[in-house]
Amino acid sequence: MAAPPEGFRYLPGLLGPDAQAALVAALRCIAGEAPLYRPAMPKSGRPFSVRMTNAGSHGWYSDKETGYGYIGRHPGTGQPWPAIPPALLALWREVSGYPADPECCLVNVYAPEARMGLHRDEDEDTFAAPVVSLSLGDSAVFRIGGPTRRGPTTSLKLHSGDVVVLAGTARLAYHGIDRILGGSSRLLPPHEWGGGGRINVTLRRVTRPPEETS
Ligand code: MD3
Ligand code: FE
């Protein structure tokens, strides 16, 4: 246990029930155009327990051959990713404090059994922009540490409607999702998204905007 790193900003309940429901509807459209896929670990090919899709010019993807990174088109359909929903661009402009818009809207879909191991987000060309994260559906136990894999970590529960902004030191901190508290929210309909569970949306800048120096 330790204090969260500098640059970690937690905005509990920033989105109310109506805004959450509207976003789930927007994500339903995205997943309709760009079907959820299950990434795999580089080299081992071990599948993630989390399913993903993206909106924006850059989508995060990983498989055995390609490794971690961003691609401009859906790996299955070959189509460009759908546009980032206006409400998410508005959220980024409100909380990021960053002058350029995000290029990636990564949608992580967690069944109640899914996890995300401790990792850093380091596949982007710039770390000057924050990452903005939004939680929807079941609550999750989120863990964040420091710049190395070992060392103290802090855990907190992320609930539906919570927003986290990762800037400064926190931008390159190790973090993960230890578990989903299945059945803790009724936002996600039982017959969609694999049955209950949780959706996390992260908004990221991937390329360095022309006006950014160093
Ligand atoms: C801390 N997602 O997509 S969101 C990811 O809940 C990811 O799906 C988790 O880690 C999820 O890469 C955690 C909170 C979060 C997102 C990005 C971060 C925390 C972060 C980037 C740097 C440090
Ligand atoms: Fe991450």
Side-chain angles (χ1 to χ4, degrees):
M1 213 39 185
E6 175 279 319
F8 176 86
R9 193 148 61 97
Y10 176 47
L11 305 169
L14 185 69
L15 273 78
D18 292 355
Q20 293 173 41
L23 280 170
V24 172
L27 296 174
R28 183 177 294 131
C29 291
I30 290 170
E33 280 186 58
L36 295 174
Y37 57 86
R38 197 180 295 281
M41 296 289 288
K43 291 179 276 207
S44 74
R46 184 186 151 91
F48 281 48
S49 59
V50 179
R51 293 184 301 156
M52 301 183 177
T53 190
N54 294 267
S57 57
H58 293 65
W60 192 86
Y61 180 72
S62 175
D63 71 16
K64 195 178 160 98
E65 292 79 23
T66 326
Y68 300 141
Y70 288 92
I71 54 179
R73 287 169 179 267
H74 188 281
T77 68
Q79 291 298 119
W81 302 104
I84 299 177
L88 289 172
L89 289 177
L91 174 68
W92 171 273
R93 291 171 188 163
E94 180 188 337
V95 303
S96 72
Y98 192 74
D101 276 343
E103 296 170 305
C104 172
C105 171
L106 171 62
V107 181
N108 294 150
V109 178
Y110 292 78
E113 312 73 37
R115 306 267 184 280
M116 189 177 286
L118 219 54
H119 67 278
R120 297 207 299 178
D121 292 16
E122 55 188 2
D123 303 322
E124 300 76 25
D125 295 337
T126 178
F127 304 122
V131 172
V132 174
S133 149
L134 163 67
S135 294
L136 294 167
D138 284 348
S139 302
V141 180
F142 170 70
R143 187 141 59 107
I144 185 161
T148 63
R149 185 176 285 284
R150 24 188 306 177
T153 60
T154 314
S155 287
L156 81 158
K157 276 180 195 162
L158 296 179
H159 304 289
S160 196
D162 291 357
V163 170
V164 181
V165 183
L166 298 310
T169 304
R171 176 63 184 79
L172 284 169
Y174 276 85
H175 60 278
I177 293 292
D178 289 341
R179 68 191 181 96
I180 304 299
L181 305 176
S184 53
S185 161
R186 296 175 58 176
L187 180 69
L188 303 181
H191 300 296
E192 239 189 340
W193 309 105
R198 170 176 185 263
I199 302 177
N200 179 265
V201 174
T202 58
L203 299 168
R204 305 135 185 267
R205 185 76 202 179
V206 179
T207 69
R208 202 164 56 81
E211 60 273 21
E212 190 178 289
T213 49
S214 100

